[in-house]
Amino acid sequence: MTPHDDGGLPPFTPSDSGAAAPLITETATPVRHLARSAPILSAEDTLGHACDAMREFNVGALAVAVEGRVIGLLREEDVLAPLSDNPEAARAVRVGEFAVGDPVTIPAGSSPRQALRALEWTHSPALPVVEEDGLYRGMISAGDLIAYWAREVKPPRIGGMATPFGVFLTGSGLRGGVGDRSLIVTGALLGVFTLILSLGMDFGLTWLDRATGWPLAAMAASTPSGFSTLADGVGIVARLLPFLALLGVIRLSPLAGYHAGEHQTVWAIERGETLTPEVVARMPRPHPRCGTNLITGLIIFETLRFASPELALIATVLLWRKLGFYVQLYLTTRPASRRQLESGIRAGKELLEKYRENPGAAAFQTPIQRVWNLGLLQGIIGWGVVMGLLSHFVGVSWAF
């Protein structure tokens, strides 16, 4: 049943909400662009699975569907009573036994006002949004509408990259900040750094060979069998040098300041703060989703795996985020200058403006467009082109 059925919800009009109605400005934005991504359930799913999904996606109701078409609605209030009576047994019960059949759905072309009226009429925490062909689009709640009218709609997850030219941010298939050229050149610069690092390691180990009389280059090239011998220790340290050198170069370059500006801008957006240099500068520099954590995890694993792969895996899982926090704080970020903060703020404002104008952009993009807007592919292209040219004309190996 939709809000436009004869027996269902009448169209929303200003008189329906009394004196408060003039405070809400009508817009042409259809709710398809406001619907949040939320998983659909089948009648055979368990309540345990449904509860986990509600908690993960922070939504008070989920659609039950067959082949993408909504046939039911499972709300928080439907599962509270059975869960409180017997939690273990209730988690194994099938969704179809508790879901409300033939629920009200909101056509994707409806206005935010009509969606609000539907939520008021049904007293449901969220309702499914469906396209004209009946296919499920997502869920919408009163909180989504509040955020929309308050101009506080933001992508559910924001990522980004720091470049020597400024900050790049991405989310929900949209992007803000520096352009493709800056991302490609940044990847190319990493390729040049890879060359310098490779040549520097070869030169440094050869010089140490001659200065000390020890076969350090051979030790570095051999595969360590543990920590029992000097050769093993040298081999492990040599394998870590590329990662440690990368962190050191980032700390000494302007990239660390832009990296801080990127993180602080993301923190400000996620916390709903005003994007001004004074406010953004108060945000933390480390961020839990930073790629530095992955590099830290790789260092941990590479350090320990020759002694015990099992120990290396356990230590990596337990420590990669905790140690990554300090690596970010002291190596890959440093206090951002006003210019670097303003670069992050410009990227954040651009991303938010695009998202508020078209929150559902990702749904109309091809997979290639979505990947391109993440920004990673441009960096890989720049790095790959440089390394390919160097391998062809200089004979430099891609491996360290």
Side-chain angles (χ1 to χ4, degrees):
M1 180 169 62
T2 72
H4 301 298
D5 291 339
D6 291 340
L9 173 70
F12 181 93
T13 62
S15 61
D16 289 329
S17 60
L23 297 177
I24 299 178
T25 302
E26 182 64 88
T27 72
T29 302
V31 295
R32 66 163 50 89
H33 297 321
L34 305 180
R36 68 169 69 187
S37 297
I40 53 178
L41 303 172
S42 75
E44 298 303 313
D45 284 330
T46 64
L47 286 188
H49 169 74
C51 292
D52 291 341
M54 286 182 183
R55 183 173 61 252
E56 179 181 355
F57 288 86
N58 192 28
V59 62
L62 291 173
V64 183
V66 174
E67 296 182 352
R69 286 176 166 75
V70 178
I71 61 169
L73 185 71
L74 185 71
R75 304 165 300 182
E76 289 174 331
E77 62 186 79
D78 300 323
V79 301
L80 281 175
L83 283 173
S84 63
D85 291 340
N86 190 338
E88 291 302 321
R91 285 183 62 86
V93 175
R94 303 300 176 187
V95 163
E97 297 184 30
F98 289 93
V100 176
D102 191 26
V104 169
T105 59
I106 302 175
S110 301
S111 70
R113 286 186 172 192
Q114 290 171 323
L116 174 63
R117 186 68 181 94
L119 289 165
E120 291 176 339
W121 186 67
T122 60
H123 302 289
S124 178
L127 288 174
V129 177
V130 297
E131 294 288 356
E132 292 179 359
D133 56 6
L135 292 178
Y136 171 81
R137 173 70 181 220
M139 300 293 294
I140 193 163
S141 68
D144 298 323
L145 296 175
I146 290 172
Y148 171 72
W149 278 311
R151 299 293 289 171
E152 293 179 357
V153 175
K154 56 193 174 187
R157 176 164 291 193
I158 299 174
M161 284 186 287
T163 78
F165 314 100
V167 173
F168 171 85
L169 294 179
T170 180
S172 297
L174 301 170
R175 52 187 286 181
V178 297
D180 293 331
R181 182 180 301 176
S182 295
L183 297 173
I184 292 173
V185 172
T186 298
L189 291 174
L190 288 176
V192 173
F193 171 68
T194 300
L195 167 64
I196 295 173
L197 181 60
S198 178
L199 295 177
M201 285 183 59
D202 291 341
F203 175 81
L205 290 174
T206 301
W207 181 85
L208 287 173
D209 275 357
R210 294 173 180 174
T212 64
W214 292 359
L216 296 177
M219 293 179 185
S222 63
T223 301
S225 59
F227 295 94
S228 58
T229 67
L230 176 62
D232 290 337
V234 172
I236 291 172
V237 171
R239 289 170 183 270
L240 294 179
L241 281 178
F243 305 110
L244 298 176
L246 174 62
L247 297 178
V249 168
I250 291 175
R251 182 65 177 84
L252 297 173
S253 73
L255 201 63
Y258 283 116
H259 196 193
E262 173 213 335
H263 285 182
Q264 291 173 297
T265 300
V266 173
W267 273 120
I269 294 173
E270 292 176 340
R271 294 179 176 183
E273 299 283 357
T274 304
L275 293 184
T276 63
E278 294 73 21
V279 171
V280 173
R282 296 199 301 266
M283 298 295 109
R285 296 207 312 270
H287 195 283
R289 295 197 303 273
C290 179
T292 299
N293 293 344
L294 297 177
I295 296 176
T296 303
L298 192 55
I299 291 175
I300 296 171
F301 188 81
E302 281 291 314
T303 302
L304 299 176
R305 72 184 179 97
F306 299 106
S308 169
E310 295 79 9
L311 174 62
L313 182 59
I314 294 172
T316 301
V317 171
L318 293 177
L319 298 176
W320 71 292
R321 283 188 183 275
K322 293 179 181 179
L323 292 182
F325 173 91
Y326 293 102
V327 173
Q328 290 181 60
L329 187 62
Y330 296 113
L331 288 177
T332 63
T333 70
R334 65 182 179 189
S337 67
R338 187 176 183 90
R339 178 180 179 181
Q340 291 163 339
L341 288 174
E342 288 175 346
S343 175
I345 290 170
R346 284 194 301 272
K349 288 182 175 179
E350 182 182 350
L351 176 63
L352 290 176
E353 186 60 31
K354 288 180 178 179
Y355 185 76
R356 287 163 182 168
E357 291 176 356
N358 190 7
F364 299 96
Q365 294 174 343
T366 65
I368 294 178
Q369 288 175 314
R370 290 195 292 271
V371 171
W372 186 258
N373 284 336
L374 291 175
L376 293 173
L377 190 56
Q378 294 91 318
I380 292 172
I381 290 173
W383 185 87
V385 168
V386 167
M387 292 305 296
L389 290 174
L390 292 173
S391 297
H392 180 73
F393 292 106
V394 186
V396 176
S397 172
W398 285 51
F400 291 108

